[in-house]
Amino acid sequence: MSTLDILLIPDQRLKQVAAPITSVDTSVRKLLDDMLETMYAAPGIGLAAPQVGSLIRAVTIDLARENEPKAPLFLINPRIVWSSEERSTYQEGCLSIPDYYEDVERPARVRVEYQDRTGEEQELVAEGLLATCIQHEIDHLNGILFIDHISRLKRERVWKKFVKRAKFEAGE
Ligand code: GNR
Ligand code: NI
């Protein structure tokens, strides 16, 4: 296993729509393992393949706390087939937008169909932070970031800050 570099905004790969995975083969499982290691090292509770530069529909999630046994969840081609009318608000962050946090309102519960790391069709119903995390990760697969759900003023402010930082780091 190896850790991968996490892309930061304004990297345009984070704005692309990721392609469906047609076959859950060894290369996909290797990517999932590397994503999991990268997510644990960051640390984060979720990671989508586009965040490590792979524009395919793969996600890793683990909400277990540090003192709990690891509980990795691998979602291939996840799709939300139902979401509740009820909403809930969490303060979200993103490994691609370090040190920025903002409240986001989303459906409180979702039903998700996906393939697991063996390619088997599965479904789950999520609520609480898991429901929010799954929606945050599926957004990544569609080129959508959590800042796309906040006010334009706040979004443009954080985007510009990262554009400036990227230019500085490029030596401009
Ligand atoms: O580590 C993460 N924490 C988090 C907190 C609230 C809502 C969503 C998340 S996901 C984020 C990791 C990440 O950027 N996943 O794409
Ligand atoms: Ni994110």
Side-chain angles (χ1 to χ4, degrees):
M1 287 213 282
S2 39
T3 57
L4 307 167
D5 288 336
I6 296 175
L7 305 182
L8 307 183
I9 62 167
D11 195 305
Q12 286 302 309
R13 286 170 285 184
L14 295 168
K15 301 297 293 174
Q16 309 299 307
V17 176
I21 293 172
T22 51
S23 154
V24 185
D25 57 19
T26 52
S27 71
V28 170
R29 279 189 284 274
K30 164 88 166 80
L31 175 67
L32 289 170
D33 289 340
D34 290 345
M35 284 173 59
L36 193 69
E37 188 182 347
T38 304
M39 184 185 83
Y40 286 146
I45 59 171
L47 190 69
Q51 292 181 276
V52 292
S54 291
L55 292 178
I56 59 171
R57 306 185 79 81
V59 164
T60 59
I61 291 175
D62 192 336
L63 267 62
R65 294 170 197 275
E66 243 181 285
N67 59 337
E68 292 173 345
K70 292 198 185 322
L73 187 57
F74 301 98
L75 306 179
I76 307 285
N77 301 321
R79 54 254 175 223
I80 292 167
V81 296
W82 172 83
S83 50
S84 63
E85 293 292 332
E86 191 192 331
R87 309 277 133 165
S88 65
T89 300
Y90 278 90
Q91 188 176 66
E92 298 196 18
C94 182
L95 295 172
S96 297
I97 314 171
D99 304 315
Y100 185 74
Y101 305 90
E102 199 58 64
D103 280 357
V104 177
E105 186 186 290
R106 299 181 186 269
R109 275 177 295 282
V110 289
R111 178 184 292 269
V112 182
E113 292 181 354
Y114 63 100
Q115 288 150 271
D116 65 20
R117 57 176 289 140
T118 73
E120 195 83 11
E121 281 292 335
Q122 304 285 352
E123 69 166 40
L124 64 78
V125 177
E127 60 180 20
L129 182 57
L130 179 60
T132 284
C133 186
I134 289 172
Q135 292 172 78
H136 175 118
E137 303 312 337
I138 292 177
D139 270 356
H140 274 300
L141 303 181
N142 294 322
I144 296 167
L145 301 166
F146 85 90
I147 55 171
D148 294 321
H149 296 289
I150 67 178
S151 78
R152 193 171 82 161
L153 182 69
K154 287 177 178 171
R155 177 172 60 254
E156 290 182 348
R157 200 184 281 152
V158 63
W159 188 268
K160 281 175 184 159
K161 184 172 139 182
F162 279 86
V163 167
K164 277 191 185 153
R165 189 180 296 178
K167 284 180 176 162
F168 177 78
E169 281 166 6
E172 277 181 45

